[in-house]
Amino acid sequence: MMGSEQIESLKNQLRGELISQDHEDFEEARRLYNAMIDKRPRFIVMCSDVADVRIALAFAREHGLLTAVRSGGHNGQGLGSCDGGLVIDLSGLKGIRVDPVAGTVRVEPGCSQGDVDHVSSSFGLAVPCGIVGLTGIAGLTLGGGHGYLTRQYGLTIDNLLEADVILASGEQVTASPREHEDLFWALRGGGGNFGIVTSFLFKAYPVSEVYAGPMFWPLEQGKQILEWYREFLPKAPENWCGFVGLKTVPSTAPFPEEIWGKKICALISCFNGPSEDGQVFMDSVRGQLPSALLDWCGPMPFAGLQGMFDGLLPTGLQWYWKGDYVYELTDAAIDVYLKYAQQTPSELSLMHLYPIDGAVHRVGRKETAWECRDAMWSMVIAGIDPDPAKAGRLTEWAQSYWEEIHPHNKGGAYINFMMDEAPARIRATYGDNYDRLAAIKKKYDPQNLFRVNHNIPPG
């Protein structure tokens, strides 16, 4: 039985704040990155430390409350919240500690990728993560994590050394290659199914200035660019990451006004190495391609590249996204991509192909929960706009796009690019690793307390 006395007791135990529906900050506290998702939890616990996390989890368990865990809050489906239950909000846990001798970075789950970049770059180091500074480091990591350094150093999970985890029982453990090895295996790609991670320890690499930036061509040249890209990428050095996008130039600074609203094929590059080498390499790329509408490639700090597009994607936009792992970029698939690029419902809507070859392919399919080690790209289709009135159009475009392109791909997708997917999609994503994940779930969370996620039920 939960009454006012139990709620008051919870409030008194916490160092952080308990926000209920009558609290003056409730509306702000429940806001999600994706404004297309609207959820009203009964309680939000704004945790200030690990003790608050354990206290909140014990309260949820005792009273049978549906429980969601929110770290960076960047999830497209809004899985950091729930209706009528309790949200354990980790956004206040933002500690970062760099060990420059060991080349490691310890990170708490409330940090964004930009937070990690800011601190690690002051030591001339970087953790292989994503491409957007606003992304929460916890969700990105637990889903796998791919970005500008992936071809050279692997996925984010390939550089995870250990994690402190609060289990459904309330026990805190360290998962690593030496302790709770099965849990460590599952955390690397299995999402938030197995517990609440309160600390990540990552391997970091010497990364400082890179030769990087975007290049744009008119969409009419998109077929030529994509055909070149599929042939060039497998032969390219692994210290170069180039992802392609079919999108529209936003009608805003800093883009030149004469190309505002123009549909384009984009190549966003990052060459990790001396600027002179990056210049030579990118000049060779330029020599193979038509003259670009825009070419902003040049030397820049790695952290600057990571946050380059953050201003275009603030919290509160409408989002609908779909993903797939792509094994082959066929002529027929290119035709589908170009068809839907002509039909984008808004300037921010896009399709990106992120390379996941190189170092990713040198890890076995069964070494981590993340199973699709032979895919070449991780694809995302995203309908995006600030106007809620466009939500239906964004959704219809992204779904239709995905339905037509999916037959060219296999069954699974990057879970961080999924909306509300059927269980069959989750099973396909993990392939032969699914049954082992279900068994580990049964061991560590037999009651499926952590189910507000891309859920793997106990097996």
Side-chain angles (χ1 to χ4, degrees):
M1 183 75 178
M2 178 175 54
S4 58
E5 290 184 5
Q6 287 77 21
I7 296 169
E8 189 65 23
S9 175
L10 171 62
K11 187 183 300 184
N12 290 336
Q13 291 178 68
L14 296 168
R15 283 198 169 179
E17 192 164 16
L18 176 64
I19 297 178
S20 53
Q21 293 183 349
D22 59 354
H23 194 286
E24 61 181 358
D25 295 330
F26 177 73
E27 291 300 320
E28 179 63 26
R30 77 180 185 92
R31 284 183 68 215
L32 298 172
Y33 181 78
N34 183 1
M36 197 181 286
I37 309 296
D38 184 29
K39 295 184 178 180
R40 297 185 65 84
R42 184 171 179 182
F43 304 108
I44 303 171
V45 175
M46 306 297 295
C47 299
S48 66
D49 53 28
V50 172
D52 280 355
V53 179
R54 298 185 68 209
I55 292 165
L57 185 61
F59 184 84
R61 188 174 59 247
E62 179 182 353
H63 296 287
L65 290 170
L66 182 65
T67 304
V69 181
R70 182 166 66 199
S71 300
H74 201 259
N75 179 268
Q77 193 185 335
L79 295 176
S81 189
C82 60
D83 284 316
L86 183 144
V87 172
I88 300 176
D89 191 304
L90 309 178
S91 60
L93 278 63
K94 297 181 76 70
I96 300 173
R97 183 179 182 276
V98 177
D99 184 335
V101 176
T104 61
V105 183
R106 186 172 291 279
V107 180
E108 292 188 336
C111 294
S112 69
Q113 179 178 299
D115 295 331
V116 178
D117 292 333
H118 172 70
V119 176
S120 61
S121 65
S122 69
F123 293 88
L125 297 171
V127 175
C129 294
I131 66 159
V132 177
L134 296 172
T135 307
I137 196 70
L140 179 136
T141 300
L142 295 174
H146 55 63
Y148 289 116
L149 300 176
T150 294
R151 299 187 71 236
Q152 187 174 12
Y153 297 127
L155 302 169
T156 307
I157 55 170
D158 298 335
N159 297 282
L160 180 65
L161 301 176
E162 66 178 38
D164 293 331
V165 189
I166 299 176
L167 304 176
S169 64
E171 179 187 3
Q172 178 161 321
V173 301
T174 297
S176 76
R178 300 164 302 281
E179 305 174 78
H180 297 280
E181 299 92 334
D182 55 349
L183 177 59
F184 184 61
W185 179 89
L187 292 174
R188 288 177 291 161
N193 275 284
F194 307 97
I196 302 175
V197 179
T198 58
S199 174
F200 298 86
L201 181 66
F202 296 108
K203 181 173 176 55
Y205 298 87
V207 180
S208 182
E209 189 172 81
V210 293
Y211 194 95
M215 300 172 72
F216 296 167
W217 292 267
L219 186 61
E220 293 76 19
Q221 294 176 320
K223 186 176 182 67
Q224 179 182 352
I225 303 301
L226 290 172
E227 289 175 345
W228 166 85
Y229 177 67
R230 73 180 175 193
E231 301 301 322
F232 181 77
L233 180 69
K235 299 176 289 189
E238 291 179 0
N239 64 333
W240 176 75
C241 173
F243 73 86
V244 291
L246 300 178
K247 50 210 301 177
T248 305
V249 180
S251 298
T252 184
F255 301 105
E257 191 168 350
E258 61 268 22
I259 61 171
W260 283 5
K262 189 169 185 63
K263 295 184 187 301
I264 57 164
C265 179
L267 174 68
I268 295 87
S269 291
C270 174
F271 183 93
N272 178 31
S275 294
E276 303 79 23
D277 294 349
Q279 174 83 50
V280 170
F281 175 78
M282 288 307 299
D283 282 347
S284 74
V285 169
R286 293 178 177 104
Q288 300 172 52
L289 296 170
S291 296
L293 279 175
L294 176 146
D295 183 345
W296 282 352
C297 287
M300 66 180 69
F302 180 70
L305 172 67
Q306 294 279 61
M308 178 177 284
F309 303 110
D310 287 2
L312 298 175
L313 302 170
T315 296
L317 299 178
Q318 304 285 309
W319 284 80
Y320 191 90
W321 48 35
K322 296 285 288 186
D324 261 346
Y325 290 127
V326 177
Y327 293 75
E328 185 180 5
L329 189 56
T330 64
D331 289 345
I334 288 174
D335 289 343
V336 175
Y337 286 128
L338 295 172
K339 170 185 171 181
Y340 280 90
Q342 292 283 4
Q343 302 172 9
T344 48
S346 67
E347 283 192 350
L348 292 176
S349 296
L350 54 84
M351 185 284 298
H352 284 172
L353 284 171
Y354 300 108
I356 49 174
D357 60 330
V360 179
H361 287 187
R362 291 193 289 276
V363 178
R365 295 172 65 147
K366 294 187 179 296
E367 291 185 47
T368 66
W370 203 89
E371 193 259 0
C372 295
R373 294 286 178 171
D374 53 346
M376 283 294 294
W377 293 277
S378 175
M379 179 203 72
V380 65
I381 297 163
I384 315 166
D385 196 80
D387 184 2
K390 288 188 177 180
R393 288 177 57 200
L394 301 176
T395 301
E396 181 181 359
W397 174 79
Q399 287 181 335
S400 297
Y401 196 155
W402 181 83
E403 286 169 5
E404 193 160 341
I405 198 64
H406 182 63
H408 297 273
N409 304 320
K410 294 188 181 180
Y414 185 43
I415 62 170
N416 291 338
F417 290 159
M418 288 185 174
M419 294 294 282
D420 188 10
E421 306 280 350
R425 275 277 276 172
I426 308 301
R427 181 177 281 275
T429 291
Y430 293 111
D432 293 340
N433 289 338
Y434 185 89
D435 289 343
R436 183 180 177 190
L437 284 165
I440 295 170
K441 174 75 169 180
K442 184 176 181 179
K443 176 180 176 180
Y444 289 99
D445 183 17
Q447 303 304 316
N448 205 10
L449 176 62
F450 300 116
R451 61 185 182 275
V452 183
N453 46 46
H454 295 299
N455 195 234
I456 300 169

